[in-house]
Amino acid sequence: MAIYELTIPLQDTDIEQLNVGDAVYLTGTVCTARDMAHLNMRELVDNHHPLPENLQGGVIFHAGPVMVKDAQDHWQLRVIGPTTSIRMEPHAEFIGQQGIKLIIGKGGMAEGSLAAFKKHKQAYLQAAPGCAVVLAEGVSKVKAVHWLENGMPEAMWVMETERFGPFIVTMDCKGNSRYDTVKAHAKEKADAIMKEKS
Amino acid sequence: MRELGITYEEVYDLLHQACTTISPDVLYLMRNAVEQESYPEAKVFLQTMIDNVAQATEKDKPVCQSPGYPTVWIRFGEAFDMDPLLSYLPKALTEATKAGLIRPSIVHPLTRHNPGDSTGEGVPNIELQHVSGQEYVEIIMSAKGCGAELGNVSKILTPATLGKNYSGLKRLVLDTVINAGGFPCPPSAIGIGLGGQMDVSAKLSREAISTRSWLDHNPDPLLDQLEQELLEDINQLGIGPAGIGGKTTTLAVKIAGAATHTAICPVTINFHCWVARRFGVRIYPDGKREMLFQVKE
């Protein structure tokens, strides 16, 4: 298990070195995007409009933060943590085409994403689920927000991060998925348990 | 009708505590799990989870960003006036949202419009239950993460598919846990509702995992045995915290049953994330308060 400290924007070479099981800390700009922000991004691209943020070499965090406004009317992050990534699986190829290098979330994604990760040199990072206070320590500033009309969780929050993590690489750009190996082993084990009982 | 004697401030305080820590029984199970976990990455995640709870309480922040779906169970026996309490609950939810303790995540099911203050038709979900002869009033507030909901399954088994020695039910539970993988924020817990019709089993599944201590035993010996057996079997699957491998997949299995029709056996499997934000209190007629889910060390 190697530990990497990566700076955003990322290059293909940053991603190629990552293997399932490695730990990663990130520094640079991270954008949140959940279900609705993905739909907004697709609509803009379909209509040949630019995205509100440059996502080349960027990082998308499947997350909805708790934000509060301070006395100066600036957004301040209270806590942030991962949401279930599989909901964003239909957008796998689209996200690959936008030049996004890392996706952070929980629970992993499926075959479509694994194929896109190979093709576009991307990887998936698992955040510790439900650890919103610990993760918030790595966010130094809220830079911008887009699509706030979607509601706080579904808006795109643009955040400056510093040694944000730790995240575990659970899907790499070589076709490996920790979720697949864990599930395959679990299925074998379940068959053995049921055989024992019959 | 008698006054219950609960104030708005007390209701808000219960909700505040529910947001900034996790249920004491669940924290106890998490501490045991980190001791027993042998997979290194799983151990790191479990320790991070425990640290996160401590930091949330210390910094007065919500333990998890996802507020889940708020449900309150109120069980009453004597004729107390419930109206003040019922009016305090939505107000407390809105105020806690404004205070940054709860992320505004309640939306219209079709338009997806988010009013931004955790209000909406049927929110919070309040389950009022009259328990004949019960002298106290019990209030349990629960916020169960909705990522966990994505793994839930309802199925109508038949006597044939229920199988010998309930093998059909056991297989369904194991398959459901495997398919859910890391979605329900494991280490999860599982509520199983058995019987009734589909709606009955669904309600029982949520009630079982949200209102019982995760350390208790089912008073029904058959269901108790099934709970222990399923817990052991699930933890042999190696899914682990966050679904990335490990010994700790599920902290508790709780089953609630109701009689059903001779042709069917409805089953609902309901996941609970490890971030068990719930607070329960019993209010006795003399005004005494007793907190629920405490661990006797």
Side-chain angles (χ1 to χ4, degrees), chain A residues 100-184:
Chain A
I100 290 153
K101 291 286 142 198
L102 286 173
I103 296 169
I104 312 168
K106 76 174 167 81
M109 303 184 75
E111 300 83 21
S113 292
L114 213 48
F117 292 176
K118 260 184 161 172
K119 188 169 151 192
H120 301 287
K121 298 284 173 228
Q122 301 167 283
Y124 180 88
L125 307 178
Q126 168 80 46
C131 294
V133 183
V134 168
L135 285 168
E137 293 293 302
V139 176
S140 51
K141 196 184 163 195
V142 180
K143 291 167 78 179
V145 58
H146 309 290
W147 306 312
L148 192 54
E149 64 276 16
N150 291 343
M152 189 185 289
E154 300 287 344
M156 174 178 271
W157 295 93
V158 186
M159 306 175 305
E160 200 54 42
T161 67
E162 210 177 308
R163 210 167 185 273
F164 189 34
F167 306 110
I168 305 279
V169 179
T170 44
M171 297 170 79
D172 62 24
C173 68
K174 298 145 200 169
N176 302 307
S177 162
R178 171 65 69 82
Y179 308 99
D180 288 351
T181 50
V182 166
K183 275 191 182 179

Side-chain angles (χ1 to χ4, degrees), chain A residues 64-66 78 81-82 84 106-107 126 129-134 137 153 170 178 183 185-186 189 191 193-194 197, chain B residues 41 49 52 56 59-63 65 100 103-104 147 167 171 178-179 183 185 229 233 236-237 239 242 244 274:
Chain A
V66 181
R78 292 242 318 146
T84 307
K106 76 174 167 81
Q126 168 80 46
C131 294
V133 183
V134 168
E137 293 293 302
T170 44
R178 171 65 69 82
K183 275 191 182 179
H185 171 265
K189 193 74 204 174
D191 287 343
I193 290 168
M194 293 313 297
K197 288 184 194 293
Chain B
E41 292 154 12
M49 290 165 182
N52 184 71
K59 294 176 182 169
D60 197 30
K61 285 182 168 187
V63 179
Q65 81 290 342
R103 190 184 65 195
S167 60
R171 181 89 228 190
I178 294 169
N179 287 336
F183 308 156
C185 288
E229 188 184 335
D233 290 347
Q236 284 189 46
L237 297 175
I239 292 168
I244 65 166
W274 73 267

